[in-house]
Amino acid sequence: MERRKEESIEKVLLRFLRQSQLETPLNEHRLIAAWGEVAGVAAERLTESLKVYNQTLYVKLRSAMLRNELSMKRSDLVKKLNAKVGVNVIVDIAFS
C-alpha cells in the first residue's frame, strides 16, 4: 500500500461539500441560524421568516418600528452576519 499526501479532515470535508454543491446551502443555513445572535433577542422574537436568495437575506418582521431600526443598521448587520459565518454569503438585507 503506498502512502499518499496527508490532508486535514477539514480540507477533505470542504472539498467534498464543494464537489457536492452543498457548501453554499450550508453557509446560508449557518447565516440564518446566526440571525438571533447578531440582530438581538427582540429582533429574533419579532421575525416571521428568513430566506436567502441571490445573496440577499429577506427578513419578514412583525414590527414596523423594528424594521426601520434594522434598516438603518443594514450594512453593519451584513458585515456581522458574514463574519459570523466566516464567508461572504450575503451582500444585502431586504426587510418587509
Side-chain angles (χ1 to χ4, degrees), residues 68-79:
N68 289 334
E69 182 181 330
L70 292 177
S71 291
M72 289 186 276
K73 298 178 182 180
R74 178 180 294 161
S75 61
D76 188 41
L77 287 170
V78 169
K79 289 176 189 173

Side-chain angles (χ1 to χ4, degrees), residues 27-58:
N27 288 333
E28 289 173 356
H29 176 74
R30 288 179 180 163
L31 186 124
I32 289 171
W35 171 253
E37 187 178 332
V38 172
V41 178
E44 184 177 27
R45 271 196 340 262
L46 295 171
T47 300
E48 287 184 14
S49 66
L50 295 166
K51 176 173 77 170
V52 177
Y53 181 73
N54 285 342
Q55 293 186 318
T56 301
L57 177 64
Y58 292 90

Side-chain angles (χ1 to χ4, degrees), residues 5-19 23 26-27 30 85-87:
K5 184 177 140 187
E6 292 181 21
E7 287 185 84
S8 69
I9 190 75
E10 180 182 0
K11 288 182 181 179
V12 172
L13 286 173
L14 186 59
R15 188 173 67 237
F16 170 76
L17 289 172
R18 284 185 179 149
Q19 288 173 349
E23 184 181 25
L26 178 63
N27 288 333
R30 288 179 180 163
V85 176
V87 274

